[in-house]
Amino acid sequence: MILDKLENAHIYFSLNDKFKKAFKFLMDNDIEKLDDGRYEIDSDEVFAFVQSYTTKSEHENKWESHEKYIDIQYIEKGEETIGWTPVNQLVIDEEYLKDKDIVFYNATSQRTKLNLNDKYFGIFFPKDAHKPGCIFNKPTKIKKVVIKVKM
């Protein structure tokens, strides 16, 4: 798991040869003006979901992880808490859904809370369970991009 500001994205280009394309999408687009939905960056290798929603109580969101894709979760505007814990600390609630590349887990008290606001991103690898969309200080409407980077 990595947490940083978009201005430092270049530091992570060497971790995965597709990260440069992913971060270029964030830097070259006016995210606030993009409609919600899926955006192709490099076929099924790198693609983005632009999302707008109001954060919820952490009890309303689920723990998740992915097997085929790395998540880059970027907050364009607003603030959100994303829970993080290693997947080996969790018990599976819903088995792996291959078509959506997602596993859901039961709740845990063993977690770290990551507070993200404008221009921050988190990178979550397959062994990083995460719980996005949670309230930071108060329920907040956010504009966010989740970029999927194939392993």
Side-chain angles (χ1 to χ4, degrees):
M1 186 282 306
I2 295 168
L3 176 64
D4 208 339
K5 292 214 38 128
L6 186 59
E7 65 195 44
N8 298 322
H10 65 279
I11 296 168
Y12 307 102
F13 290 175
S14 65
L15 295 179
N16 183 296
D17 62 343
K18 300 173 192 110
F19 277 8
K20 189 171 186 176
K21 289 178 185 179
F23 284 111
K24 186 173 176 6
F25 176 85
L26 296 174
M27 292 183 255
D28 290 352
N29 287 285
D30 185 347
I31 303 299
E32 284 196 65
K33 292 183 180 177
L34 292 179
D35 291 331
D36 287 1
R38 182 179 166 138
Y39 291 81
E40 299 296 327
I41 299 170
D42 182 13
S43 182
D44 72 334
E45 297 292 311
V46 183
F47 55 93
F49 290 107
V50 175
Q51 306 170 341
S52 300
Y53 59 83
T54 301
T55 55
K56 303 181 215 175
S57 157
E58 72 176 88
H59 303 292
E60 296 178 75
N61 295 316
K62 291 185 175 188
W63 286 100
E64 63 183 59
S65 72
H66 314 285
E67 292 184 9
K68 294 189 301 186
Y69 288 91
I70 298 165
D71 268 9
I72 300 174
Q73 299 213 9
Y74 169 73
I75 306 298
E76 172 66 21
K77 185 169 179 67
E79 58 185 23
E80 168 177 298
T81 293
I82 299 177
W84 172 86
T85 195
V87 294
N88 64 5
Q89 300 292 317
L90 298 171
V91 175
I92 294 175
D93 181 44
E94 293 180 44
E95 292 294 328
Y96 180 67
L97 301 170
K98 187 175 182 178
D99 60 325
K100 295 184 179 185
D101 185 42
I102 196 163
V103 178
F104 292 108
Y105 301 90
N106 289 321
T108 182
S109 59
Q110 297 180 0
R111 72 196 178 301
T112 298
K113 290 183 177 185
L114 308 170
N115 297 324
L116 289 78
N117 54 22
D118 297 1
K119 312 297 188 220
Y120 272 86
F121 66 86
I123 301 176
F124 301 93
F125 297 91
K127 298 296 181 193
D128 295 321
H130 49 286
K131 184 191 274 196
C134 300
I135 294 169
F136 184 177
N137 288 314
K138 61 183 180 187
T140 304
K141 185 161 176 78
I142 66 167
K143 184 78 169 197
K144 176 179 183 176
V145 180
V146 177
I147 299 184
K148 300 293 203 170
V149 178
K150 197 169 195 177
M151 293 288 300

